[in-house]
């Protein structure tokens, strides 16, 4: 939690310094940020407020678009277990059955 506060304070000081110097490039060099990251920080602050400055790890966005239906997964698993073979071999043998 303390680390997050430090990061937020550092980002706020980056934005304040940029408004004082009126030179984003020089400000970013002084603070050790890229210009692209500066504009992303500014956009997050404008959009989400102070919560936008907290670093978040990207999380799962839902199931993979190429994922097969649950019934098919269960059928492949059961076939592989019954015939003592791996999932790749089970998938190939099941596709030849269809």
């Amino acid at each position: 939690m303390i680390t997050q506060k430090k990061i937020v304070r550092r980002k706020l000081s980056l934005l304040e310094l940029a408004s004082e110097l009126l030179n984003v490039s020089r400000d970013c060099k002084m603070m050790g940020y890229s210009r692209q990251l500066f504009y992303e920080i500014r956009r997050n602050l404008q959009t989400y407020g102070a919560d936008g400055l907290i670093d978040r790890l990207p999380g799962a966005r839902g199931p993979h678009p190429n994922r097969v239906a649950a019934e098919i997964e269960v059928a492949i698993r059961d076939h592989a277990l019954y015939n003592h073979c791996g999932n790749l071999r089970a998938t190939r043998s099941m596709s030849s059955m269809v």
Side-chain angles (χ1 to χ4, degrees):
M1 188 68 177
I2 295 171
T3 306
Q4 287 181 350
K5 288 182 181 180
K6 286 181 181 179
I7 292 171
V8 169
R9 268 191 262 140
R10 184 166 167 82
K11 289 179 181 180
L12 281 174
S13 65
L14 171 75
L15 296 172
E16 289 172 2
L17 185 61
S19 65
E20 291 174 11
L21 293 179
L22 300 175
N23 188 338
V24 173
S25 183
R26 189 181 322 153
D27 176 40
C28 290
K29 282 183 183 179
M30 287 175 58
M31 297 291 288
Y33 283 96
S34 67
R35 286 179 48 209
Q36 180 181 2
L37 189 57
F38 168 82
Y39 291 115
E40 184 178 327
I41 291 169
R42 188 174 73 176
R43 184 177 56 247
N44 286 344
L45 180 66
Q46 291 170 347
T47 307
Y48 304 109
D51 291 337
L53 297 178
I54 298 172
D55 287 339
R56 292 183 176 85
L57 296 175
R61 301 193 189 270
H64 194 276
N66 294 337
R67 188 170 182 167
V68 297
E71 304 85 37
I72 296 173
E73 283 185 24
V74 170
I76 291 172
R77 186 192 67 220
D78 292 342
H79 179 77
L81 291 173
Y82 181 75
N83 293 313
H84 305 288
C85 60
N87 63 346
L88 183 60
R89 185 172 170 197
T91 306
R92 286 182 183 158
S93 66
M94 286 191 69
S95 63
S96 66
M97 295 159 87
V98 176

